Structure formats: C-alpha cells, structure tokens
Amino acid sequence: MPTETTLMTRDDALKQLSHIARERAFERHVGSDRLIQAGLNALIAGIESPSLAMLAGLLRSEEPEAPALFDQVLEELGLLFRPPADRRAAKWAMADWVAGQMVDGSLDAAAGTHLIWADIAEDLGYPEELEPLVHCAHNLDGWEESWGVSFEKPAGKQSKLRNSS
C-alpha cells in the first residue's frame, strides 16, 4: 500500500479505509490523526461521500470528532465492518484477517505471528490450527543475533512447515 506521502489510487484509498475499519473493529488502537489522513487520502483519490470532506478537513482541535466521522464515512461507502458478536468467532476472524495480511505482504510475518500469538491464540486456548504460527512467534521472539542465523530464517522455516501440513 502506498505511503501517505505518495498519491493513492482510488482502490488503494478504499483498501486503506477498509483496513483501518478492521483494525478498529478488532479493537486495535488507531489514532485520530490516521483517521483524518485516511480521509484526506480518499478525498484526494477521488472518493466521494457526504462526510468525507468533513473528516479530511478536521483540525487538530477537532480530532475527538474523527472516530464518529470515520464511522460515518465507512457507512456511507459501505465499508463498515462488524466482527462476529461471539468473542471466539471474532478472534478467529481476526486471525484470518492477520494471516491474510501476512500472505499478501501488507504485514511483516514476524509482526503478524507475534500479533496472533499475543492477541489471539491465548484467548482461543492455543488451538492446534494456530500452533505453527505460535511456534514461529516464540522462535522469533527468542531469536538472537549470536545464533549465526538470519532473522528471516526462523520465519521462513516455519512457513514451509505450515505449507507442508
């Protein structure tokens, strides 16, 4: 996904809005500054919604209004995401979302495995389906440069194990 300093395409801006919608739905902290920037990116990319210009134009003193306006923009664009009401189903949905980001390259494998290990697997009772990712997160968390193995090696090795099962 392009950075905030490059112009985004309409599709990139919609992806960014959708991504942030999921971050917020899965109770990840997203600052008002990111919500406003995403609104500005979308507006510059040519996306139209009645509330988008209001979101994009918020001043620093108006940042507390950003979350409600962001949700309004998502609603207007049909991008509002609500995770399953069941907490367990919501955790599985989050695991699926994180894994999808790791696969498409938008989330670093080490960060993704750590997120699944720290925020999802424990709540699910460390299910067998997540064991390869949890194992990988443990390997990466304990990795030391003195081992003489590159940081990428434990993640790559674990990915091959997961693909073969």
Side-chain angles (χ1 to χ4, degrees), residues 109-110 112-118 131-143 158:
T113 57
H114 187 268
L115 183 62
I116 288 175
W117 172 42
E131 197 281 326
L133 291 173
V134 171
H135 183 74
C136 182
H138 279 284
N139 286 345
L140 292 172
D141 194 44
W143 179 85
Q158 194 61 35

Side-chain angles (χ1 to χ4, degrees), residues 90-152:
K91 286 294 182 177
W92 277 111
M94 184 178 179
D96 185 60
W97 175 64
V98 171
Q101 291 177 82
M102 291 166 56
V103 169
D104 75 15
S106 62
L107 179 64
D108 175 70
T113 57
H114 187 268
L115 183 62
I116 288 175
W117 172 42
D119 292 357
I120 300 168
E122 181 179 4
D123 288 348
L124 293 172
Y126 295 102
E128 186 178 321
E129 297 88 343
L130 295 179
E131 197 281 326
L133 291 173
V134 171
H135 183 74
C136 182
H138 279 284
N139 286 345
L140 292 172
D141 194 44
W143 179 85
E144 294 182 21
E145 198 170 317
S146 64
W147 291 354
V149 177
S150 73
F151 186 76
E152 292 77 21

Side-chain angles (χ1 to χ4, degrees), residues 41-128:
N41 292 343
L43 193 63
I44 291 170
I47 296 172
E48 295 179 16
S49 130
S51 304
L52 187 57
M54 290 188 292
L55 173 64
L58 287 178
L59 302 172
R60 184 172 299 274
S61 62
E62 300 169 316
E63 282 185 359
E65 298 172 37
L69 269 173
F70 186 81
D71 287 344
Q72 197 170 334
V73 167
L74 294 176
E75 184 82 39
E76 293 164 1
L77 295 173
L79 297 174
L80 194 59
F81 174 79
R82 296 194 200 298
D86 175 71
R87 182 152 173 78
R88 191 166 176 79
K91 286 294 182 177
W92 277 111
M94 184 178 179
D96 185 60
W97 175 64
V98 171
Q101 291 177 82
M102 291 166 56
V103 169
D104 75 15
S106 62
L107 179 64
D108 175 70
T113 57
H114 187 268
L115 183 62
I116 288 175
W117 172 42
D119 292 357
I120 300 168
E122 181 179 4
D123 288 348
L124 293 172
Y126 295 102
E128 186 178 321

